[in-house]
Amino acid sequence: MLLPPLPLFSHGLLSQEDHCPSPQSSIGSRSETPNLNGWRARKDSLGVSSAGDSSGYVGSMRDSEASAISQSSTRATSPDGTFTSIPRNQSFATSLTGSNHYDGETEEIEANLLERTFAHELVYNKDGQITGGTLPALIERLTTPDSTPDATFVSTFYLTFRLFATPIEFARALIERYNYVGDSPRVSGPVRLRVYNVLKGWLESHWRNDCDMPALELITAFATRQLQIVLPTAGKRLVSLADKVCATNGQLVPRLISSIGKTNTSIAQYVPPDTPVPPPVINKSQLNALKNWKHGYSTVSILEFDPLEIARQLTLKESQIFCSILPEELLASEWTKQSGSMAVNVRAMSRLSTDLANLVADNILQAEDAKKRAIIIKQWTKIGDKLLDLSNYHSLMAIVCSLTQSTIMRLKRTWECVSNKTKLRLEKLKGIIKHERNYASLRQTFQNQTPPCVPWVGLYLTDLTFVDAGNQTTRQLPGLGFEAGKSVINFDKHMKTAKIISELQRFQVPYRLNEIPELQTWLQDQLVRVRTADQGEVVKEYYRRSLLLEPRATPETQTTSGKEKFEMFFLGSKNNGFHHSSSTTNPVM
């Protein structure tokens, strides 16, 4: 299953029309503002003032005062801080259309519209990008009639709105937006179409049956009682979609990965569907050995298979899970929940990675002869090298972390039997996944990487955790004069989260490789065999095996029997560094 993509994040400035200027209100006049279900809209004219902070610009409303020096209502701020004025005889409509030809009724409706705007409750950064706002203000921006909605803003809103509003609150805010735009065809028409399109997109591609169903009744009632009266076709379409989501578990129109989500350095080098699939590297003798193993007639070793084919089968297994990761699994550190976590695919990748690391260590420590252990190290190093060729960094990380943990690295006699060629190959792999400078080398590799690819998911989970824990859910909107400020949604946090998820999503492209069922069955059996609920105990067990195979070079351990070795191990276990070694066992989290 492929995820709905998020578009590439851009950093362009907002256009001047994103900061809508307004007419100067009559001095001394005031009008009453309706209470829209608790939403407070400021009165009279619209102005924009600088917050006095270099980090952002804040749109704000000011009440008209009976003073000759109060001219703020005629000014609007552009992202670079310059002010433009609107002539006293020019209305809000003419500031957008450049025309003075409109009737008195339109002027009155548009004046009423200005009283109900929430643009003053948005926060911008110095580049003109929205970084915060109240829910009504963000909904207003989502359905702005002045320009095409920003694709990044829209997709981020769909992905993250459940973090700052319930589905019912989201639906109600859209309906309120539909209602308060008034009856002016010039303004209400585009806004109402966009409200419909937002609801349609939600139902088609972003609906979640596990949490969105409470809002369905509200949406259906709106479609039948209001939308169908003004836009009959749109109303019927919305009702039809609402009926379908009741009968469908998941999105009605799953989105495919597109070129929008890729960086400039990796433009559309996907594997074409008609590209020939490479033939499997396995012979009849190996297949017969797997059949005999399945029936319990013989055992099979990792050394009996070509490293390339093992890497391919691991990649197919890993890629299937990776491509199934849903965006909601990556929100609010969902994968860290001890119980009830919906991040089933993220946790499955973590488990597979841990199992693979355990399998590598288990294969090495099962061999009693140092030369045999060296051969197994060589085989797994070759498999890691083939994983690199396949761009499977997740499995590569598991293998390299296992080969370089203290339990394996302390086997001096074993490493003396490993060839220099194998050691150099391992050093190359270590250089790619090294953690220095926050995995700078690996990040650069991902930036230039083309799909299909299985990235090391732990890198993205770390970044998502940092954003989630390091940014507050709200930010402060400065007040005006003696008026207190107010807390608004920190939308910048959600934009950062969406950007990280979009970077991961662009790799969710299936591999074109042949699956070998017999080999897949054997690999799965091996991974399950070394799986355990207590990873700490596994670490101790592997270190115990390591000490038995190559005891410490002390006079006591060199002359003791096998039984005495066990006794010495248990007596000294508290100081043998088990807890230290356990920190390198899990390569993912």
Side-chain angles (χ1 to χ4, degrees):
M1 174 181 179
L2 299 180
L3 296 180
L6 292 171
L8 183 64
F9 281 66
S10 60
H11 300 282
L13 297 178
L14 291 179
S15 62
Q16 179 64 30
E17 58 187 13
D18 287 338
H19 300 268
C20 299
S22 65
Q24 179 180 1
S25 61
S26 301
I27 296 177
S29 65
R30 293 179 179 270
S31 59
E32 295 298 321
T33 302
N35 182 6
L36 300 175
N37 290 342
W39 295 355
R40 183 172 59 85
R42 300 188 190 179
K43 304 173 183 179
D44 297 332
S45 57
L46 171 65
V48 180
S49 66
S50 172
D53 186 347
S54 61
S55 64
Y57 295 94
V58 182
S60 62
M61 295 286 287
R62 296 181 182 270
D63 292 337
S64 298
E65 299 292 343
S67 170
I69 62 173
S70 178
Q71 299 295 327
S72 63
S73 64
T74 66
R75 300 185 301 177
T77 304
S78 62
D80 62 2
T82 59
F83 291 90
T84 58
S85 298
I86 302 174
R88 297 171 63 91
N89 62 350
Q90 183 177 352
S91 75
F92 175 69
T94 58
S95 69
L96 296 178
T97 63
S99 171
N100 286 311
H101 300 287
Y102 58 92
D103 55 29
E105 180 184 357
T106 302
E107 181 180 10
E108 180 181 354
I109 292 174
E110 291 173 349
N112 185 51
L113 177 66
L114 285 177
E115 295 177 4
R116 305 189 184 193
T117 185
F118 294 91
H120 57 283
E121 295 179 350
L122 288 175
V123 182
Y124 298 88
N125 64 13
K126 61 183 179 181
D127 294 325
Q129 297 169 324
I130 294 175
T131 58
T134 60
L135 180 59
L138 293 174
I139 291 290
E140 190 171 283
R141 189 74 189 100
L142 188 65
T143 58
T144 176
D146 305 329
S147 59
T148 302
D150 178 68
T152 295
F153 181 87
V154 173
S155 56
T156 298
F157 205 104
Y158 275 132
L159 174 63
T160 64
F161 78 84
R162 299 172 188 86
L163 300 178
F164 53 82
T166 66
I168 289 181
E169 289 172 341
F170 180 38
R172 184 176 291 124
L174 286 168
I175 295 171
E176 289 290 349
R177 172 63 167 156
Y178 178 92
N179 289 332
Y180 77 74
V181 293
D183 297 322
S184 171
R186 183 178 300 172
V187 177
S188 67
V191 169
R192 288 177 170 176
L193 275 174
R194 284 181 176 163
V195 168
Y196 157 70
N197 283 326
V198 171
L199 288 169
K200 176 174 173 286
W202 182 13
L203 290 168
E204 281 186 340
S205 302
H206 302 277
W207 187 263
R208 287 174 51 185
N209 280 7
D210 61 315
C211 60
D212 292 346
M213 292 303 291
L216 196 61
E217 183 178 353
L218 184 62
I219 295 172
T220 303
F222 164 72
T224 54
R225 298 172 188 173
Q226 292 182 257
L227 188 60
Q228 281 192 13
I229 297 174
V230 180
L231 301 169
T233 303
K236 292 178 182 178
R237 173 62 175 162
L238 217 56
V239 171
S240 174
L241 290 173
D243 292 338
K244 288 180 180 179
V245 297
C246 287
T248 305
N249 185 19
Q251 302 164 357
L252 299 180
V253 186
R255 295 185 180 178
L256 300 177
I257 296 294
S258 69
S259 60
I260 289 180
K262 296 190 290 295
T263 60
N264 294 333
T265 55
S266 58
I267 300 298
Q269 294 188 24
Y270 294 114
V271 180
D274 56 348
T275 300
V277 178
V281 186
I282 193 168
N283 54 42
K284 292 183 178 180
S285 174
Q286 292 167 329
L287 290 174
N288 288 332
L290 288 171
K291 291 179 181 179
N292 291 333
W293 163 83
K294 187 176 181 179
H295 291 92
Y297 300 146
S298 62
T299 60
V300 178
S301 166
I302 190 70
L303 299 176
E304 298 182 37
F305 303 102
D306 189 283
L308 175 58
E309 197 54 54
I310 293 292
R312 286 175 175 173
Q313 299 306 309
L314 285 173
T315 298
L316 282 172
K317 184 181 293 292
E318 197 98 63
S319 175
Q320 183 178 13
I321 301 174
F322 174 66
C323 290
S324 299
I325 294 177
L326 300 173
E328 49 265 32
E329 297 185 47
L330 303 170
L331 297 174
S333 300
E334 179 69 26
W335 64 90
T336 63
K337 293 181 179 178
Q338 296 300 318
S339 60
S341 173
M342 63 180 297
V344 291
N345 296 300
V346 174
R347 294 170 73 92
M349 286 205 73
S350 174
R351 182 171 59 250
L352 177 57
S353 160
T354 302
D355 292 345
L356 181 56
N358 287 341
L359 180 60
V360 173
D362 182 82
N363 283 174
I364 297 170
L365 296 173
Q366 286 286 355
E368 296 184 1
D369 181 66
K371 291 183 179 180
K372 181 70 174 292
R373 293 194 293 272
I375 294 173
I376 296 174
I377 289 175
K378 177 183 178 181
Q379 176 77 342
W380 278 112
T381 304
K382 283 184 175 181
I383 293 172
D385 198 42
K386 298 303 181 183
L387 288 169
L388 178 60
D389 293 339
L390 291 167
S391 302
N392 182 354
Y393 297 92
H394 201 78
S395 296
L396 173 62
M397 177 69 77
I399 291 174
V400 173
C401 284
S402 186
L403 289 173
T404 56
Q405 65 178 306
S406 60
T407 302
I408 304 301
M409 293 302 294
R410 64 169 300 278
L411 301 173
K412 184 177 179 181
R413 295 203 311 270
T414 300
W415 285 100
E416 287 174 352
C417 298
V418 176
S419 67
N420 288 332
K421 183 178 180 180
T422 298
K423 291 177 180 178
L424 289 174
R425 181 182 286 125
L426 181 57
E427 286 300 316
K428 180 189 74 173
L429 299 178
K430 287 169 59 179
I432 293 172
I433 65 169
K434 61 184 178 181
H435 66 273
E436 282 79 9
R437 295 188 298 123
N438 193 20
Y439 295 97
S441 175
L442 196 58
R443 292 179 187 276
Q444 183 63 39
T445 299
F446 290 163
Q447 184 178 354
N448 300 322
Q449 182 67 52
T450 58
C453 166
V454 181
W456 179 47
V457 176
L459 185 67
Y460 298 96
L461 300 184
T462 300
D463 291 347
L464 288 167
T465 301
F466 180 81
V467 170
D468 186 46
N471 293 270
Q472 296 182 351
T473 57
T474 61
R475 62 193 311 145
Q476 197 67 15
L477 177 70
L480 296 174
F482 296 104
E483 184 177 315
K486 65 186 302 183
S487 293
V488 297
I489 298 163
N490 184 6
F491 200 71
D492 183 57
K493 173 181 180 177
H494 303 304
M495 292 284 282
K496 291 175 180 177
T497 297
K499 180 179 180 181
I500 296 170
I501 295 175
S502 73
E503 291 172 353
L504 179 145
Q505 283 183 300
R506 73 184 182 89
F507 292 128
Q508 290 183 306
V509 178
Y511 283 80
R512 286 185 57 77
L513 296 170
N514 272 316
E515 181 178 294
I516 303 176
E518 297 87 351
L519 192 51
Q520 283 285 340
T521 301
W522 178 79
L523 279 173
Q524 182 64 21
D525 178 82
Q526 297 300 297
L527 293 168
V528 171
R529 178 177 62 82
V530 297
R531 181 175 300 168
T532 178
D534 191 345
Q535 185 62 22
E537 287 301 316
V538 171
V539 172
K540 293 180 182 180
E541 172 61 24
Y542 288 161
Y543 204 89
R544 182 183 296 116
R545 290 191 203 173
S546 179
L547 284 174
L548 291 175
L549 291 171
E550 295 189 26
R552 288 189 177 88
T554 62
E556 292 82 4
T557 57
Q558 288 175 351
T559 59
T560 51
S561 65
K563 180 179 180 181
E564 290 170 333
K565 289 177 185 177
F566 273 108
E567 291 175 350
M568 283 189 63
F569 175 77
F570 285 117
L571 288 173
S573 61
K574 293 182 180 179
N575 298 315
N576 276 344
F578 298 144
H579 298 290
H580 173 73
S581 65
S582 65
S583 64
T584 61
T585 302
N586 191 336
V588 180
M589 305 304 177

